[in-house]
Amino acid sequence: MRVVQPIEWTDAGVVMLDQRRLPTEVVRYTYTDYRDVARAIADMVIRGAPAIGVAAAMGVALGVLHSRAQTPEELRAEYEIIHRTLAATRPTAVDLFWALDRMKQRFEALLAESAPLERIRQELIREAQQIHAEKRAIDEAIGRFGAQLLPHEGKVMTQCNAGALATGGIGTALGIIRMAVAEGRRLHVLVPETRPYLQGARLTAWELQQDGIPLTLITDNMVGHMLRSAQVCAIVTGADRVAANGDTANKIGTYQMAVLAHEHGVPFYVAAPLSTLDLTIPSGDHIPIEQRRPEEVTHLAGVRIAPDVPVANPAFDVTPARLITAIVTERGIARPPYEESLRRLAAEASSVSPGSACTPPARAVE
Ligand code: MRU
């Protein structure tokens, strides 16, 4: 399945597609400085939880590659700064911290075995590329599991952009839709525009159009009306962080969609790689919610649309687990009670070597 590539490691540096300029312009930048990668994450050149993780890993690799350190010990001090700079970019998506932790573990292991500087550099580049490759395989596995939940024909709704642009693979929520369509299901996707950043209108609509998957773009305040009148069969969204009890942080507006789905008896599915699970927190109350600039609300494409008044701009909200019908991971479908099903899937995944998580058993965890 050919999809757009938001990020790539190349000999010239980290190449990123500027998602802020889509759908009207397709512009790519090549970064050679990890600080520019950090700025690109914070400024939304790249966004979407798994893609942010890939970008952070590649940022670390860039930082190490271009470090002036002469010895592994000198590199250790610099590494801390690189890690901290990338960790300070966006607070909600746990994939960022997952990827940084994984890079650090690899770095520490190389130091422990007294690897020479050049080998450390090459191994960390390889690790970042490996994380990217795993994301692709994980999306495909999520897609295969999730496709079975969708109808043979009918309307499905999504939120924000949980597609190729957000993961570096075929996407999580959109991966499920793509896989279902590839299997011959006749789906029509309702795409809420996703104010204020318009990831639905700008990115999801663009991705689906490129694939030739039928869609209808709606404004966010049409969701209730559509669920009441448009015979929506299912909602599928991505996730930025899933707590141990299944509470899920995703793009602002997801919570109200889940409440409305419950009211109308529409199944509400979350698609999330296991790297998006945060089993260290018992519930969604512990998920930090990113607050973004007021201008994202008061302005549209640079044009002021509201007076200079106080503004709230939380970028994410938390959907309580009781509103979530199932959580689709690369190792199977978790059903309530999530405390048990998620923990079981995570434990199974950690008992296999990296990469083999991509060939999960075809079964659901109830
Ligand atoms: O602020 P964004 O655009 O990074 O938010 C993205 C989302 O909320 C996605 O739904 C989520 O990261 C899942 S992406 C597979």
Side-chain angles (χ1 to χ4, degrees), residues 6-19:
I7 184 164
E8 238 169 325
W9 180 275
T10 71
D11 289 343
V14 175
V15 178
M16 268 189 219
L17 175 60
D18 188 349
Q19 300 192 26

Side-chain angles (χ1 to χ4, degrees), residues 72-296:
E73 268 320 304
E74 277 176 34
L75 183 58
R76 186 196 280 276
E78 219 175 305
Y79 192 99
E80 287 308 316
I81 298 168
I82 296 167
H83 181 104
R84 254 186 283 132
T85 306
L86 288 157
T89 50
R90 297 195 70 190
T92 304
V94 78
D95 282 75
L96 173 77
F97 307 101
W98 172 89
L100 287 174
D101 283 352
R102 181 157 153 186
M103 293 298 285
K104 194 162 190 184
Q105 273 174 28
R106 186 75 193 106
F107 179 57
E108 294 293 348
L110 288 160
L111 288 183
E113 61 190 63
S114 305
L117 204 50
E118 195 42 40
R119 181 157 166 250
I120 294 176
R121 291 192 164 113
Q122 293 313 317
E123 289 291 330
L124 289 183
I125 292 170
R126 218 189 320 273
E127 189 73 5
Q129 288 175 310
Q130 176 66 23
I131 288 174
H132 192 190
E134 285 172 26
K135 292 289 167 210
R136 294 194 194 109
I138 284 168
D139 280 3
E140 304 237 339
I142 290 174
R144 272 192 294 276
F145 280 123
Q148 312 317 315
L149 298 170
L150 297 187
H152 287 285
E153 184 166 2
K155 293 196 184 76
V156 296
M157 192 181 276
T158 188
Q159 166 70 338
C160 189
N161 173 267
L165 291 165
T167 69
I170 60 169
T172 53
L174 285 198
I176 289 175
I177 291 168
R178 283 191 162 108
M179 208 54 106
V181 169
E183 285 176 5
R185 289 165 208 249
R186 298 222 302 266
L187 301 180
H188 187 111
V189 188
L190 294 178
V191 181
E193 59 181 352
T194 317
R195 277 277 288 153
Y197 215 74
L198 300 174
Q199 290 95 329
R202 295 188 304 103
L203 308 178
T204 297
W206 184 75
E207 275 197 41
L208 291 172
Q209 187 188 40
Q210 302 250 315
D211 278 15
I213 297 176
L215 76 137
T216 301
L217 179 64
I218 60 173
T219 61
D220 300 330
N221 52 359
M222 295 176 192
V223 167
H225 174 75
M226 289 298 174
L227 288 174
R228 187 156 187 240
S229 63
Q231 292 174 333
V232 177
C233 302
I235 295 180
V236 195
T237 77
D240 285 85
R241 195 184 292 227
V242 181
N245 71 345
D247 289 355
T248 296
N250 191 49
K251 181 51 56 193
I252 192 74
T254 305
Y255 170 44
Q256 65 200 28
M257 285 175 78
V259 172
L260 284 162
H262 189 253
E263 167 71 14
H264 294 286
V266 174
F268 185 91
Y269 301 120
V270 168
L274 291 172
S275 56
T276 305
L277 289 192
D278 185 353
L279 298 180
T280 67
I281 54 170
S283 76
D285 295 343
H286 302 266
I287 299 177
I289 300 293
E290 178 182 8
Q291 306 291 325
R292 293 190 62 88
R293 294 181 303 118
E295 290 75 19
E296 290 179 1

